């Protein structure tokens, strides 16, 4: 089993698709997605840190053995971290896009006869 599962990319994909679709809606929807995304990502991080992976005594594994490790908490942590980074990147892109849109709107209003 690898370090990154395909399920890890579901949260960042939902955030990115929601952000893309929000550009056809009102401006508050875009910022709503950018506000909800980090909150959900932090909840994933908290859930991942709270999951325990108990090993049964009859498994023959000790806590130091990686092959006996339960990877579910790691996947939750990875998903939360990647989702949070995705939100930060989309926040920067949104701010730059809003500035460009505002300058283009002002330029078109000032150039109108």
């Amino acid at each position: 089993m690898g370090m990154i599962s395909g399920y890890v990319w579901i949260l960042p994909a939902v955030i990115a698709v929601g952000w893309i679709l929000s550009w056809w809606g009102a401006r508050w929807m875009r910022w709503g997605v950018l506000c909800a995304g980090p909150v959900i990502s932090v909840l994933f991080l908290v859930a991942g840190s709270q999951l325990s992976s108990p090993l049964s005594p009859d498994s023959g594994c000790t806590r130091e053995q990686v092959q006996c490790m339960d990877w579910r908490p790691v996947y939750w942590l990875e998903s939360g971290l990647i989702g949070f980074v995705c939100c930060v990147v989309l926040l920067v892109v949104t701010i730059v896009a809003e500035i460009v849109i505002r300058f283009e709107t002002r330029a078109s209003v000032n150039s109108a006869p």
Side-chain angles (χ1 to χ4, degrees):
M1 182 170 282
M3 201 55 184
I4 295 183
S5 171
Y7 295 116
V8 169
W9 299 104
I10 292 174
L11 177 64
V14 168
I15 292 169
V17 168
W19 180 80
I20 290 169
L21 292 176
S22 71
W23 282 92
W24 283 284
R27 188 170 162 200
W28 63 268
M29 292 174 69
R30 188 171 327 127
W31 290 103
V33 169
L34 289 175
C35 291
V39 171
I40 295 170
S41 296
V42 168
L43 289 175
F44 271 54
L45 287 168
V46 169
S49 66
Q50 298 299 320
L51 285 175
S52 62
S53 56
L55 296 173
S56 62
D58 59 344
S59 67
C61 293
T62 62
R63 290 227 179 253
E64 291 79 24
Q65 293 177 325
V66 175
Q67 67 268 19
C68 297
M69 187 174 169
D70 183 13
W71 291 98
R72 286 178 295 165
V74 175
Y75 295 146
W76 282 84
L77 293 170
E78 286 176 343
S79 183
L81 185 63
I82 293 170
F84 191 79
V85 169
C86 177
C87 289
V88 170
V89 169
L90 292 177
L91 176 66
V92 171
V93 170
T94 302
I95 290 172
V96 170
E98 292 279 344
I99 291 170
V100 168
I101 290 170
R102 186 162 295 168
F103 280 137
E104 285 182 352
T105 305
R106 284 185 185 172
S108 65
V109 168
N110 290 340
S111 66

